[in-house]
Amino acid sequence: MHDSRDRELGMHRKITRRDFINGVAVTTGAAMMPWHLLAADEPTFPEKSPNYYPPSLTGMRGSHPGSFETAHSLRDGTFWDSAGKPQDTGETYDLIVVGGGISGLAAAHFYRKIVGAKARILILDNHDDFGGHAKRNEFRIDSAFRLGFGGTFSIESPAPYSAVAKGVIDELGIDVPSYSKYTDQNLYRSLGLRSRIFFDQETFGADKLVINPSHRGGYDSEDVTQGPAALLKQFLADAPLADRAKRDLQRLYEEPNDYFPGLTSDQKKAKLARMSYASFLKDVAGVHEDIVKLYQAMPHPLFGVGIDAVAAQDAWGFDLPGFDGLKLDPTPGKGMNRDAIANEEAEKYFFHFPDGNASIARLLVRKLIPDAIPGNSMPDVILAKANYGKLDDSSSPVHIRLNSTAVRVKHLGDAATAKDVEVSYARCGKVYTAKARNVILACWHVVIPYICEELPDKQKEALASAQKVPLLYTNVAVRNWTSFQKLGVDSVYAPGMYHTYVHLDLPVSIGGYQCSRKPEEPIIVHMMKAACRPGRPAREQHRLGRIELFSTTFETMERKIRDQLARTLGPGGFDPARDIAAITVNRWPHGYAYEYNSLFDSFWLEGGETPCEVARKPYGRIAIANADAGAYAYTDEAINQAWRAVGEITKA
Ligand SMILES: Cc1cc2nc3c(=O)[nH]c(=O)nc-3n(C[C@H](O)[C@H](O)[C@H](O)COP(=O)(O)OP(=O)(O)OC[C@H]3O[C@@H](n4cnc5c(N)ncnc54)[C@H](O)[C@@H]3O)c2cc1C
């Protein structure tokens, strides 16, 4: 049974995955092997090989094999048992940055602006590619070239960018308002495509694709032909929901009710801040359980958890139904998540590159090491082929050393008076040391207590509380999107499926790169999964989700992807065995920075110092950046925190 279903799904078909074991190339030789698999006598500069080109790898990417094992053995206390004595590289830098994400790259950029372009800087990152979450996925599908985003998707934030973050965006030549020049915004609408909901057999009793009545769940599901009432009517006629559930949904949308009569708006908000949206729906609005299941996964893209762990006050901010009758004052309530606060100016602030914010990382790398990314304009970075051999080259004052996990960061002497900090890092099976006048830890905060033992206990505790949100960002390269066209769909919300969101790639063409415009052409289908465990506190959900992502094989994920696409798009003629050309799963067990949540973080409601303020305090010659330092999972925050950290180490 399993075998025949596997054949239908195309598990036997040759896709690029066949060349990989969980994302590890076995055909291209040592150049692409993770360092820990290299024999001791293999060359220790895989990045110098002409074959070294991580963006074109498919299979398991993101936290790929070879990137996390060292950090996990540090966590488990076993790393130093077999590490051997570190070898001194003899290198001394002005600055060592741990973490080659946007925060680390921005920190190096700011440092050079303040100290001078000759400043010697070493950036260490444990992955085989730079950019942190801002990763580029490349695909060749027959003769077509397609780009996908492996993580950070766009320049956006509910809060408008700070002057500092805007300054970096401007310096990189990114003219945010010019986005409309590059995107074919009406392409999908003009072909009759729109956002739909996939009801699955296991959760709702039938597999069915139904119109999405909400403005949530699509990149832009504003419907120009049907008003909201007509959409809701169509949805209610088609959805495989219990009759009572349908009546309840209509009631939520069309019969406003004041569930808390006698309370002021502030009192109502205070109540909503302390109850989940799932409880609001069940216990306050008294809706049928099908409605709770329907909305369960809707907040996944923002929070990585479902409505059981999102405050009703935040759900009100997102415009989820049920709140109209409460007549709440529109000003944000205490303890609201920043994502839930509407901000008109920020809504205008959007720019999506075909490879997401990997283009920002690449533009920053071009500023730091011009030889590594050829070209000189924002548009030409899209097709520029990075030269990985130049990232760590003696001819440049700035070095980006990939496949290198920092394992120990310590002042040489007392933190208050030391002149240098020593950084030990593991790379290609060996441990090395280098020295620097200053260090910026732009890496994930949960890692810092294991690598920087000298920090005060209170600070280590605050750092450890920054539990990242586990996510999968999956890119499926398909040979055409005629099934999407036949079914009239460009994005799918699938509350009961493995990936809860599926989108056709945004149609953006920049700098010679051409997106797919005709349904007969290859395209990237983006799928998103939040690994969560509904019913538990958010941090606990993240911890369990992280274990799930690290322990699920690529084969299992591939089977789920093929099955989901077959069930969703099969009625439109999609055949996974025939139509899927390649799959890249960007696995991020340490994904979004943890954002404070009024359900679980009492300090967020009550005020006072937040853990991220304690966590990011400078210590001697060490400063701390990363989006975690602002408890806010956005590119602008990664830049803001880099700016603060550089300010701390450069103020005389
Ligand atoms: C799937 C996903 C989608 C996102 N989408 C968006 C979006 O659309 N828009 C947006 O603004 N933001 C988005 N974000 C948030 C994103 O995290 C930030 O925008 C930003 O890219 C974070 O940059 P950073 O440098 O702070 O962290 P990271 O990008 O995480 O970089 C930190 C780097 O440090 C490395 N590191 C950790 N420990 C060590 C060590 N011991 N030694 C060496 N290196 C180490 C990490 O592996 C990582 O490469 C998204 C995040 C994820 C996960």
Side-chain angles (χ1 to χ4, degrees), residues 71 74 98-105 124-127 129 131-135 150-157 161 357 404-407 442-444 447 451 468-469 471-473 588 590-593 625-628 632-636 638:
L74 267 179
V98 177
I102 287 178
S103 199
L105 297 170
L124 298 169
D125 197 279
N126 55 315
H127 289 102
D129 202 353
H133 293 144
K135 284 284 193 309
T152 311
F153 162 70
S154 64
I155 298 177
E156 51 145 358
S157 159
Y161 273 38
N357 286 4
S404 300
T405 306
V407 291
C443 55
W444 301 331
V447 178
I451 63 176
K468 293 264 198 193
V469 178
L471 300 162
L472 291 186
Y473 264 31
W588 297 114
H590 299 271
Y592 296 158
N626 194 282
D628 284 348
Y632 198 43
Y634 287 94
T635 296
D636 49 331

Side-chain angles (χ1 to χ4, degrees), residues 94 142 146 148 153 202 242 261 314 339-340 368 387 395 443 507 527 537 559 567 589 611 629 639:
D94 295 302
D142 305 325
R146 293 284 180 262
F153 162 70
E202 299 86 330
D314 291 333
D339 286 344
L368 298 171
N387 182 347
S395 60
C443 55
M527 303 174 78
R559 187 173 287 111
R567 287 167 61 181
I639 297 171

